[in-house]
Amino acid sequence: MPSGGFTIGEGMARIICISKYPPLEGGIAAKTYWLCRALAERGHTVHIVTDGENIDADYCSPAFRDQVPVNNLHIHRHQEKIPWHIPNDPHRSLALLNAALEVVDRHGADVIDTGYLIPYGLVGFLAGQMTGLPFLLRHGGSDLNKFLDKGIWSNLITKAFKGAGAVITDREHYGGFYGLSKRVISIPPYVPDPAFFKHSSGEKLKPTLALIGKTNYCWRHKGWHRAINIIKSIGDRFRCLIVSQGIGLKDFRKYVEDGINSVIEWKEFVHPLEMPRVLQSVNGIFVLQHDLPFPVFANIVMEALYCNVTVITDRPDMFQSLKKQVLHIDAESRNILVVPSDEPDTAAETIINYFTRLIPEQIDVSYREADYAGYIQQNEDAILSVIDKR
């Protein structure tokens, strides 16, 4: 048995995490980065199995290396050059599976954790079947909507859910997994590390509004066209920063430059470790969700609120939706500004008035460390419980 007979009383675990990971951008990659870093800092040995760095150049942040390596944290990327075999098939899942099996053979493991159902969760399921290791299945938002809800690969996905030692989900999706899994654990989707995501006292020369995220072909689903129309109505009263990459960036950039005469600052996407600095340089970010085909949880909302950045949204129930996820943001709620995104002039006036009248004040954020520690502890407990129940 690869685990070497681990028991909870012995202390630390050897964890293999198969997931999306930087420099690939996105919420799952960022959450994986921060969670695995925290688990390694607690003494667990964490082996991350992920894609090659150049798997998708459109969605990779510029090369970045942590200046201070984290003990016990190891990154494994498949290095083989896959020969041309079947047209248009890079065999990504098989490469991940082979890399995971190599890590088990070389380093040993007690448990397999995953991030995102497709492909990482399914790869974790197969690796668990081949090695006899327990595994946890995690999901995002889009993978449930695109695959599970539409019945795509239903036989394989159903077997993966039933074979998982536990399914990690959040409060919103908890009830939907009854009948699919023998054990479902609800954990808040994400809590930022307050040691990094915190208010910066540095004074900004000019108020800055930002758009931060991926630019797919369907960038209008994220309401970015609406944000640009609002920025156009605001004029040159604010600095505008757009941090993004993606296959739709060229189209989006043309839309921006055709519609706005003022200067827009463009920046490639950044590594998660650099995100606090980016957020601390802005006053407000647009998170418009009216046009989304299905609701999503966005990491950037919590990260912005922790950095005392105003979240500009067209979702009146954003605060309530976060509270339902057992996220404590009562003090930060004053930094959620709801605007009518389909009325750019009215939204612009609301934003201008908000920042004109905004008076900086001290808010009690003492609970943040406890919330973050609780979030990491819940994840750690879930991982160890799967090992314990073998």
Side-chain angles (χ1 to χ4, degrees):
M1 185 68 66
S3 72
F6 174 91
T7 62
I8 299 300
E10 292 174 354
M12 300 299 106
R14 294 168 295 175
I15 304 166
I16 292 181
C17 179
I18 307 171
S19 184
K20 188 178 179 183
Y21 195 77
L24 276 175
E25 63 178 281
I28 297 296
K31 282 195 281 191
T32 300
Y33 171 81
W34 291 110
L35 177 58
C36 288
R37 179 187 177 107
L39 291 170
E41 288 174 344
R42 287 192 170 209
H44 301 288
T45 300
V46 182
H47 293 275
I48 298 167
V49 175
T50 191
D51 305 280
E53 287 192 0
N54 299 317
I55 191 70
D56 195 339
D58 286 319
Y59 294 104
C60 280
S61 59
F64 177 91
R65 305 288 182 189
D66 288 1
Q67 297 301 310
V68 181
V70 179
N71 289 334
N72 308 321
L73 184 63
H74 311 278
I75 315 299
H76 305 271
R77 305 180 188 274
H78 59 83
Q79 303 295 333
E80 300 96 340
K81 184 177 180 179
I82 308 299
W84 186 91
H85 182 54
I86 298 176
N88 301 318
D89 188 352
H91 309 287
R92 180 179 182 179
S93 296
L94 293 178
L96 286 166
L97 177 58
N98 184 70
L101 297 176
E102 284 184 350
V103 172
V104 173
D105 289 342
R106 185 173 302 173
H107 303 284
D110 300 302
V111 63
I112 298 170
D113 196 358
T114 62
Y116 241 167
L117 177 59
I118 309 295
Y120 309 105
L122 297 183
V123 171
F125 166 60
L126 295 175
Q129 293 286 302
M130 292 179 175
T131 61
L133 289 168
F135 88 102
L136 296 98
L137 199 61
R138 298 179 189 257
H139 66 82
S142 60
D143 49 358
L144 294 183
N145 179 269
K146 293 176 181 177
F147 291 89
L148 186 64
D149 294 349
K150 291 181 171 56
I152 296 173
W153 299 341
S154 60
N155 195 284
L156 175 58
I157 290 175
T158 298
K159 284 182 169 55
F161 273 105
K162 290 188 178 298
V167 173
I168 308 298
T169 185
D170 54 38
R171 182 68 65 87
E172 179 183 352
H173 296 95
Y174 185 80
F177 291 109
Y178 282 117
L180 275 176
S181 173
K182 58 191 176 186
R183 189 158 179 261
V184 184
I185 301 174
S186 175
I187 296 174
Y190 173 63
V191 177
D193 184 346
F196 292 90
F197 294 93
K198 56 188 175 182
H199 174 57
S200 173
S201 57
E203 196 169 322
K204 305 172 182 70
L205 297 178
K206 191 174 186 179
T208 301
L209 301 178
L211 282 167
I212 301 175
K214 291 181 289 189
T215 316
N216 297 326
Y217 284 135
C218 53
W219 48 266
R220 284 176 175 82
H221 285 169
K222 303 171 76 171
W224 281 24
H225 59 306
R226 300 183 188 276
I228 294 305
N229 292 338
I230 294 170
I231 291 171
K232 181 179 179 180
S233 294
I234 290 175
D236 60 359
R237 295 177 179 85
F238 291 78
R239 169 176 165 256
C240 183
L241 171 67
I242 299 176
V243 182
S244 186
Q245 286 178 224
I247 54 177
L249 183 60
K250 183 178 179 181
D251 181 47
F252 173 63
R253 187 158 186 161
K254 184 178 185 305
Y255 180 86
V256 173
E257 293 173 348
D258 286 350
I260 295 182
N261 293 323
S262 54
V263 176
I264 304 292
E265 182 179 341
W266 297 85
K267 184 178 180 62
E268 292 179 309
F269 213 76
V270 300
H271 187 280
L273 196 58
E274 295 181 283
M275 187 58 74
R277 180 180 55 80
V278 171
L279 287 171
Q280 289 160 1
S281 73
V282 307
N283 299 85
I285 64 165
F286 287 96
V287 184
L288 304 179
Q289 301 184 329
H290 177 75
D291 296 301
L292 288 173
F294 49 86
V296 298
F297 174 88
N299 294 2
I300 196 73
V301 171
M302 290 297 295
E303 292 177 343
L305 293 176
Y306 270 41
C307 290
N308 201 34
V309 173
T310 297
V311 175
I312 303 168
T313 183
D314 53 1
R315 183 175 177 180
D317 67 339
M318 176 175 280
F319 172 69
Q320 290 78 9
S321 69
L322 294 173
K323 292 283 286 184
K324 286 179 182 177
Q325 296 283 16
V326 199
L327 294 167
H328 304 129
I329 58 163
D330 291 303
E332 292 86 353
S333 63
R334 68 184 183 88
N335 281 346
I336 297 177
L337 177 63
V338 180
V339 300
S341 61
D342 56 348
E343 300 176 22
D345 290 341
T346 302
E349 184 179 357
T350 301
I351 292 169
I352 293 169
N353 289 338
Y354 173 88
F355 283 103
T356 299
R357 299 171 183 171
L358 183 64
I359 300 174
E361 61 181 90
Q362 289 291 110
I363 59 175
D364 181 11
V365 296
S366 58
Y367 62 88
R368 287 182 181 175
E369 290 187 9
D371 281 2
Y372 174 70
Y375 164 73
I376 299 301
Q377 187 66 56
Q378 288 178 71
N379 278 278
E380 183 181 41
D381 290 346
I383 293 169
L384 297 182
S385 71
V386 170
I387 303 171
D388 195 34
K389 290 181 179 296
R390 277 195 303 167

